[in-house]
């Protein structure tokens, strides 16, 4: 077998059927994994390059499948307000929250948006992230939503990372449509989504279904428009209350339902039947000092895959460390380390509709992987504030 590169002398946590492979070898050809398995069982491979992993553990490249990486300004002052007792809903209804970031994002130029997002992305890449989802949703008009999605696409061109873009125009009611939510949904469905989809800027469509955002009926209209455009959907669901968001997401075959702190067992059953991934976001849970845990045991019982992401955003989860989210998923949500690691690899890929090509170390999949200076993979969930990432490989090329 001819290969572009051969990576050997490491232990692979494949996250696939092979599980753990001690003293593994990974052959890469054309940016894909051509072979992976025990070095002792390796076929005759003639590689143009050989790389010694020096006994490190190797995982699939990490996937941050829920971020709001592109935005203007920050909301540190709201952090102070919450510490003084203001609730998330109170801040939003007083003109803060998402709407305040909309103002800052609209005021920022395209270069400023791209530059600030790049700084955040660089921190994720240094931790072995090779795929990242980036949402819009801080523009809330066609021009600003377009600018956000273009900035996200530009990140994928400038950096060794696969970027998936999600249009979240239904994140909040635009300030100029205050009190006219249905009219704003008309704008989203009739103008913003069709235009951005036609420009090839949208991989999926998201919405925020909650008392302070959009009703299930309004969300369904957005999802109907997305389906008419051939776009998959996902949903910010049941974060602050049980509004039936999980069941709504499942009804539309959503890739994921995200947050889910207040989801009922009925909603969990619907997600299981639809194959919808439960996206757990411990950063927002932590920063908002929530006490209602997502129904992790119900997800286990009904076989709902669980993903974990940073939810990097300026208001409720200013997190730029996916490794920290692994620890939080274990300590706050009681995931096991292997569940958490599946949440940023195999299940994260499924939450983006990329499980056929990413998320596990298997022949035929993208040669995205990271090598770690740890004695056991569980250490990736254990250390606080440490980054044991030693090598990052993207499409078979060493990029860090």
């Amino acid at each position: 077998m001819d290969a572009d590169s051969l990576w050997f002398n490491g232990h692979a946590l494949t996250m696939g059927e092979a599980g753990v492979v001690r003293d593994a070898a990974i052959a890469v050809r054309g940016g894909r994994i051509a072979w992976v398995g025990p070095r002792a069982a390796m076929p005759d491979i003639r590689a143009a390059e050989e790389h010694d992993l020096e006994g490190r553990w190797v995982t699939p490249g990490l996937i941050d499948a829920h971020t709001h990486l592109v935005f203007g300004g920050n909301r540190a002052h709201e952090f102070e307000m919450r510490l003084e007792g203001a609730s998330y809903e109170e801040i939003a209804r007083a003109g803060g929250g998402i709407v305040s970031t909309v103002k800052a994002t609209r005021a920022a130029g395209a270069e400023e948006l791209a530059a600030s997002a790049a700084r955040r992305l660089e921190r994720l890449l240094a931790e072995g992230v090779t795929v990242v989802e980036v949402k819009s949703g801080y523009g809330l008009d066609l021009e600003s939503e377009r600018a956000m999605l273009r900035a996200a696409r530009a990140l994928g061109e400038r950096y060794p990372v696969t970027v998936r873009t999600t249009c979240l125009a239904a994140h909040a009611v635009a300030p100029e449509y205050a009190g006219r939510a249905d009219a704003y949904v008309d704008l989203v469905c009739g103008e913003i989504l069709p235009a951005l989809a036609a420009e090839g800027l949208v991989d999926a469509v998201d919405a925020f279904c909650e008392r302070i955002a959009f009703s299930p009926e309004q969300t369904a209209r957005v999802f109907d428009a997305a389906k008419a455009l051939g776009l998959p959907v996902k949903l910010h669901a049941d974060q602050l209350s049980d509004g039936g968001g999980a069941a709504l997401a499942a009804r539309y075959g959503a890739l994921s339902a995200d947050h889910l702190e207040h989801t009922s067992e009925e909603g969990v059953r619907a997600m299981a039947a639809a194959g919808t991934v439960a996206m757990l976001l411990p950063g927002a849970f932590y920063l908002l000092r929530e006490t209602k845990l997502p129904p992790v045991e119900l997800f286990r019982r009904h076989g709902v895959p669980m993903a974990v992401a940073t939810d990097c955003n300026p208001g409720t989860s200013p997190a730029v460390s996916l490794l920290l989210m692994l620890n939080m998923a274990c300590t706050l949500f009681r995931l096991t380390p292997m569940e958490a690691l599946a949440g940023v690899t195999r299940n994260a890929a499924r939450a983006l509709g990329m499980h056929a090509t990413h998320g596990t170390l298997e022949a035929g999949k993208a040669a995205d992987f990271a090598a770690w200076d740890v004695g056991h993979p569980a250490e990736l969930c254990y250390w606080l504030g440490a980054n044991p990432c030693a090598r990052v490989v993207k499409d078979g090329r060493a990029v860090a």
Side-chain angles (χ1 to χ4, degrees):
M1 175 192 299
D2 291 327
D4 300 325
S5 61
L6 177 66
W7 303 76
F8 63 94
N9 190 23
H11 308 300
L13 180 66
T14 68
M15 302 310 301
E17 291 185 8
V20 170
V21 179
R22 296 275 182 175
D23 192 17
I26 304 171
V28 176
R29 183 173 59 233
R32 300 274 178 168
I33 296 174
W35 187 88
V36 58
R39 184 159 46 152
M42 185 174 66
D44 182 23
I45 295 176
R46 297 169 296 279
E49 298 178 358
E50 294 189 356
H51 302 271
D52 188 344
L53 292 166
E54 301 178 323
R56 296 184 174 101
W57 278 93
V58 179
T59 68
L62 305 189
I63 299 172
D64 196 353
H66 181 131
T67 86
H68 305 254
L69 208 63
V70 175
F71 57 83
N74 68 68
R75 304 217 302 265
H77 63 291
E78 292 180 14
F79 175 65
E80 293 183 279
M81 291 172 65
R82 281 196 299 272
L83 293 175
E84 294 170 357
S87 72
Y88 181 61
E89 291 189 53
E90 288 170 342
I91 291 170
R93 295 190 187 283
I98 292 167
V99 173
S100 66
T101 297
V102 170
K103 182 177 180 180
T105 300
R106 288 180 176 182
E111 290 187 7
E112 182 181 340
L113 286 176
S116 63
R119 290 192 293 271
R120 292 183 280 273
L121 179 63
E122 287 168 359
R123 295 189 179 192
L124 293 173
L125 298 183
E127 289 190 348
V129 172
T130 56
V131 177
V132 63
E133 183 252 22
V134 181
K135 303 179 190 294
S136 65
Y138 294 125
L140 307 187
D141 61 30
L142 178 56
E143 180 181 354
S144 301
E145 289 287 299
R146 178 187 286 125
M148 291 187 70
L149 293 170
R150 284 180 173 172
R153 289 281 199 233
L155 293 175
E157 295 170 359
R158 288 178 52 194
Y159 289 92
V161 61
T162 298
V163 172
R164 302 290 280 192
T165 53
T166 297
C167 182
L168 182 56
H171 197 193
V173 176
E176 55 271 23
Y177 281 82
R180 297 185 295 135
D182 285 327
Y184 179 67
V185 172
D186 290 341
L187 176 72
V188 171
C189 297
E191 180 179 341
I192 295 177
L193 281 180
L196 298 178
E199 294 171 26
L201 292 173
V202 184
D203 295 318
V205 173
D206 198 349
F208 187 15
C209 184
E210 192 56 74
R211 293 178 305 225
I212 60 173
F214 298 97
S215 69
E217 294 75 21
Q218 291 163 339
T219 301
R221 289 177 56 200
V222 174
F223 282 2
D224 286 336
K227 290 296 187 181
L229 294 167
L231 295 169
V233 299
K234 53 186 67 178
L235 185 64
H236 285 61
D238 304 336
Q239 179 185 10
L240 307 175
S241 63
D242 183 6
L248 173 64
R251 189 164 80 242
Y252 281 87
L255 293 172
S256 69
D258 305 32
H259 289 289
L260 302 173
E261 281 86 341
H262 292 266
T263 297
S264 66
E265 186 164 7
E266 179 184 1
V268 174
R269 286 198 186 100
M271 291 174 63
T276 297
V277 174
M279 179 64 69
L280 305 182
L281 304 171
F285 179 91
Y286 168 80
L287 202 77
L288 292 175
R289 296 189 292 179
E290 296 287 356
T291 57
K292 176 72 171 175
L293 291 165
V296 167
E297 189 52 46
L298 289 177
F299 295 141
R300 290 177 178 137
R301 186 184 312 163
H302 293 286
V304 176
M306 292 180 286
V308 176
T310 62
D311 190 19
C312 177
N313 76 76
T316 61
S317 186
V320 289
S321 171
L322 192 54
L323 294 179
L324 180 58
M325 298 304 104
L326 287 176
N327 179 277
M328 286 186 174
C330 294
T331 57
L332 298 178
F333 294 165
R334 306 298 190 267
L335 267 62
T336 68
M338 288 304 106
E339 285 176 329
L341 287 167
V344 297
T345 53
R346 181 178 66 238
N347 293 340
R350 185 169 294 278
L352 296 179
M354 299 176 69
H355 50 287
T357 56
H358 292 74
T360 61
L361 299 177
E362 296 178 289
K365 292 202 173 183
D368 291 4
F369 48 92
W372 308 91
D373 281 325
V374 294
H376 189 279
E379 290 184 41
L380 298 179
C381 306
Y382 166 71
W383 293 106
L384 289 171
N387 179 13
C389 187
R391 303 287 295 274
V392 182
V393 177
K394 175 66 180 167
D395 297 324
R397 296 183 301 106
V399 296

